[in-house]
Amino acid sequence: MIRPPFPRALTAGLLATGFLVTTGCGADVEPAAKAGPATVTVSNCGEDVTYARPERPVAYDVSGAEKMFSLGLADQMRGYVMNELGDPSIEGSPWRKDYSEVERLGTERITREIVVDAKADWVLAGWNSGFSEERGITPALLDKVGIASYLHTETCWDYGDKSVDVTPLEALYTDLDNLGKIFGVEKRADELVTDLKDRVTALKKTWPAGDDPAKVFVYDSGTDQPFTAGRHAAPNDVITAAGGTNVFGDLDKGWTSVGWEPVIKARPEVIVIIDYADQPAKDKIAYLKSLPSLKSIPAVQDNHFLVMSYGDAVSGPRNVTGAEDLGRYLRSVGL
């Protein structure tokens, strides 16, 4: 399929410009980014989708923004939308400069009104983490107003025919490869993916020999029910790459709520705390320590808490940094 039918203004612009693309963060301009085919076809959530080179792309949240930034595409972006709860992740991002130079179009969730008002021609977001039937912003609805879209592969398990089921890190690599093709920066994408894979391979060499993987519980938020990561959420692969095992890695979910009883039964040895602007990690740790029902689990008894940036925990190139940090922590506490 073609997503969407090309607007007349966009088609004219493509013919006139020859697809001149520059890159940020000091990256060189690739020859392929200067001129190339009028369209490119990639597989997105099980569909072959044909794209024209985006001229006014908009990305949603850390996942979208940093996939673009890591490929040197900041200069090509119309803007990004990001909930202000994720602001602390900007401060710790290697792409802080890009965040400051690309226009922020919204500080809550992305909406169809935002991207239409911005005259965007392409939107990058995840299913239910950005695109949503209930909120009236979906690939199909954007098609109707001449705006193309790309869904994060990590969220494809819950979209359409749900035929795409890959691990979160493989989904990340797929997205970077596809974005490289869509924006004509294949070489940069290949180099980035190779570097990320090499770092994961190096990290695996630090795993303790013969030991059972450390049991890790991800605590995002929640009091009555903790919000955590299932097997489709990025932390599942972050934990695996670090040499641990996600205690809820058998749940066929992304980010999801569970009961406290399963947490107690799982007896995690380490708890990863996701850091947000309105939910300081220290307060979350204090809350967990205050629960009488959790006092028996090893992580609380041994004070094994690791604070992880939201930017490291959502699908994006910083997942490998999160895995490296967690791996060092596990080794430091003998796990």
Side-chain angles (χ1 to χ4, degrees), residues 182-193:
I182 292 169
F183 286 90
V185 289
E186 294 95 330
K187 180 181 177 183
R188 173 62 178 145
D190 182 66
E191 290 173 348
L192 177 58
V193 170

Side-chain angles (χ1 to χ4, degrees), residues 53-58 76-79 117-122:
R53 183 75 53 79
E55 292 189 329
R56 297 174 64 84
V58 169
Q76 308 307 307
M77 294 176 64
R78 170 62 183 87
D117 288 347
K119 296 181 173 57
D121 63 358
W122 184 90

Side-chain angles (χ1 to χ4, degrees), residues 64-221:
E66 296 197 355
K67 286 174 185 176
M68 297 288 284
F69 295 160
S70 67
L71 292 172
L73 296 170
D75 289 347
Q76 308 307 307
M77 294 176 64
R78 170 62 183 87
Y80 70 95
V81 180
M82 180 173 159
N83 193 303
E84 61 187 3
L85 299 183
D87 281 0
S89 63
I90 294 177
E91 182 59 31
S93 173
W95 299 286
R96 288 188 301 276
K97 186 172 183 290
D98 289 330
Y99 276 113
S100 68
E101 294 180 349
V102 176
E103 183 177 356
R104 188 169 184 170
L105 302 171
T107 57
E108 296 183 3
R109 290 191 173 187
I110 194 167
T111 66
R112 186 168 44 164
E113 290 72 22
I114 287 174
V115 298
V116 169
D117 288 347
K119 296 181 173 57
D121 63 358
W122 184 90
V123 178
L124 171 61
W127 185 248
N128 284 333
S129 59
F131 297 124
S132 166
E133 293 279 5
E134 292 75 16
R135 292 188 299 103
I137 178 170
T138 67
L141 290 171
L142 291 179
D143 280 354
K144 293 180 179 180
V145 291
I147 301 174
S149 58
Y150 181 93
L151 291 99
H152 296 301
T153 303
E154 180 207 31
T155 66
C156 291
W157 68 274
D158 198 29
Y159 176 77
D161 64 8
K162 304 182 182 180
S163 62
V164 177
D165 186 3
V166 297
T167 67
L169 276 180
E170 286 299 326
L172 168 63
Y173 304 148
T174 295
D175 288 343
L176 294 173
D177 283 336
N178 281 345
L179 293 177
K181 293 171 184 173
I182 292 169
F183 286 90
V185 289
E186 294 95 330
K187 180 181 177 183
R188 173 62 178 145
D190 182 66
E191 290 173 348
L192 177 58
V193 170
T194 297
D195 175 67
L196 293 174
K197 289 181 176 180
D198 287 347
R199 288 165 60 191
V200 170
T201 298
L203 182 56
K204 289 180 178 179
K205 294 178 181 178
T206 71
W207 295 0
D211 292 340
D212 291 331
K215 294 185 289 185
V216 181
F217 165 54
V218 177
Y219 181 55
D220 177 281
S221 57

Side-chain angles (χ1 to χ4, degrees), residues 38-79:
T39 62
V40 62
T41 300
V42 302
S43 179
N44 185 214
C45 287
E47 291 183 283
D48 287 336
V49 184
T50 299
Y51 296 96
R53 183 75 53 79
E55 292 189 329
R56 297 174 64 84
V58 169
Y60 177 58
D61 204 54
V62 175
S63 289
E66 296 197 355
K67 286 174 185 176
M68 297 288 284
F69 295 160
S70 67
L71 292 172
L73 296 170
D75 289 347
Q76 308 307 307
M77 294 176 64
R78 170 62 183 87

Side-chain angles (χ1 to χ4, degrees), residues 17-38:
T17 62
F19 313 113
L20 179 62
V21 175
T22 59
T23 58
C25 301
D28 294 332
V29 176
E30 293 184 22
K34 293 180 180 179

Side-chain angles (χ1 to χ4, degrees), residues 254-268:
W255 292 93
T256 188
S257 294
V258 296
W260 285 113
E261 197 58 40
V263 176
I264 297 166
K265 185 177 180 180
R267 295 183 59 78

